[in-house]
Amino acid sequence: MEGKMDAQAELRIIRAAYAKQILAAAGVVDVRLARAFAAIPREDFLGPGPWLVLRWLRNYVPTPDADPVYLYTDDLVALVPERNVNNGQPSLHAHLIHQAAPAAGEHVVHVGTGTGYYTAILAHLVGPSGRVTAIEYDGALAARTRASLAPFANVTVIEGDGTQVPFDAADVIYVNAGCTQPAKRWLDGLADGGRLIMPMTSDQGFGGIAPERIASAGAVFRIERRAADYLAQWISPVAIFPCAGGRDEESERALAEAFARGDVQKITRLYRDQDIPDERCWLRGSGWCLAYH
């Protein structure tokens, strides 16, 4: 028993150091977020070890054994390796969650939960007075999320299409899959002042993409609702698993062309059903456009 307690005490120290390293890598100063990363055991969401770890320019490498210490690095860990589905890079999530700024008492909708690690971090941030609606398309992953998050009374897990599942007005919608267009459900579902974190990826934005090409194949946008207006800004390059229900061939082509033109970092607004001139639009879809001003 004493040895087990020693191991847990050691892991708490390792998690605290990991949290500091992750936020430093993300360039983020956020005490609440650091506490959340330090508090949530990553091993609780990744199944039994040893685990497969993925680093840039290398294939999966198994950890030497099932010691959770190997999970506290800024690396991806396999969830379904044969499909390239991973628990995402912690520093990227630290950056994106910081941009989402979930506050105590807020309602967060997490689209694409994987097995729930980052859902748990969001649940920690909103606290017992807040709540998280976790949506996962893949049935097997949704079941794992439900089991992993059973101790979290403020989380509801739903298996379904994150672009279609109805939810109560959200202060934060945190999307962890690459779409080619914003779902109407997300834009309608944002509360006034709500923030949508949305990765958009072309068909080149996933898999064995070279690091230097990511910026031209995927981008994460922060959309903030202000009454009927939507502010928009680019916040990160990204390569991420495609969003079921959030893609079609026509919008895929249009997005690839927009990335090829560049200027993604100049976007300031998302407009809905407004007649915005083409020269102001970075990307136009049916009933919406991302625009420069």
Side-chain angles (χ1 to χ4, degrees):
M1 184 69 180
E2 185 180 332
K4 188 174 182 184
M5 291 298 292
D6 287 349
Q8 288 305 313
E10 183 183 72
L11 275 173
R12 281 194 292 274
I13 294 166
I14 287 165
R15 279 190 207 106
Y18 157 82
K20 287 185 175 181
Q21 293 284 3
I22 293 310
L23 267 69
V28 167
V29 178
D30 185 330
V31 173
R32 292 178 64 250
L33 187 56
R35 285 187 190 132
F37 270 95
I40 304 298
R42 198 178 187 191
E43 62 271 20
D44 288 0
F45 299 87
L46 299 178
W51 301 275
L52 294 174
V53 175
L54 185 64
R55 298 185 173 95
W56 278 126
L57 306 177
R58 295 181 68 182
N59 289 324
Y60 290 110
V61 177
T63 58
D65 54 48
D67 188 337
V69 69
Y70 298 114
L71 300 175
Y72 293 103
T73 61
D74 192 22
D75 295 305
L76 293 80
V77 180
L79 298 177
V80 189
E82 61 274 18
R83 287 172 47 214
N84 219 18
V85 178
N86 306 301
N87 179 248
Q89 187 176 30
S91 63
L92 173 63
H93 283 272
H95 171 58
L96 300 182
I97 293 171
H98 177 69
Q99 290 285 337
E106 289 194 324
H107 176 213
V108 175
V109 174
H110 187 191
V111 176
T113 62
T115 54
Y117 174 58
Y118 295 107
T119 318
I121 287 172
L122 293 165
H124 188 280
L125 288 163
V126 299
S129 63
R131 61 196 175 102
V132 179
T133 302
I135 305 170
E136 174 53 51
Y137 184 82
D138 182 282
L141 291 177
R144 289 176 65 180
T145 297
R146 197 171 280 113
S148 299
L149 293 171
F152 290 77
N154 62 343
V155 178
T156 302
V157 180
I158 300 169
E159 179 187 336
D161 181 344
T163 67
Q164 301 295 328
V165 170
F167 51 80
D168 297 337
D171 301 294
V172 171
I173 302 174
Y174 189 60
V175 181
N176 285 165
C179 57
T180 55
Q181 56 200 335
K184 185 174 183 295
R185 174 79 66 195
W186 303 339
L187 299 176
D188 290 345
L190 272 184
D192 193 10
R195 292 83 65 198
L196 164 64
I197 303 297
M198 179 180 67
M200 297 186 77
T201 54
S202 73
D203 58 0
Q204 303 296 310
F206 177 64
I209 184 170
E212 64 273 9
R213 286 212 54 251
I214 285 180
S216 62
V220 185
F221 295 97
R222 182 187 192 273
I223 313 293
E224 181 174 336
R225 185 170 190 171
R226 300 275 182 88
D229 294 332
Y230 294 84
L231 309 181
Q233 66 178 119
W234 175 94
I235 56 173
S236 176
V238 73
I240 197 166
F241 196 79
C243 178
R247 311 182 71 83
D248 63 67
E249 282 187 26
E250 187 179 342
S251 62
E252 192 123 41
R253 274 195 303 274
L255 182 60
E257 288 167 8
F259 278 126
R261 286 194 302 273
D263 287 341
V264 64
Q265 297 185 31
K266 296 180 181 177
I267 290 164
T268 60
R269 291 286 292 273
L270 184 146
Y271 291 100
R272 302 183 72 185
D273 301 312
Q274 287 151 293
D275 191 16
I276 307 302
D278 284 346
E279 62 269 18
R280 285 182 55 199
C281 284
W282 181 75
L283 177 63
R284 188 189 297 277
S286 177
W288 65 275
C289 82
L290 283 167
Y292 298 123
H293 53 78

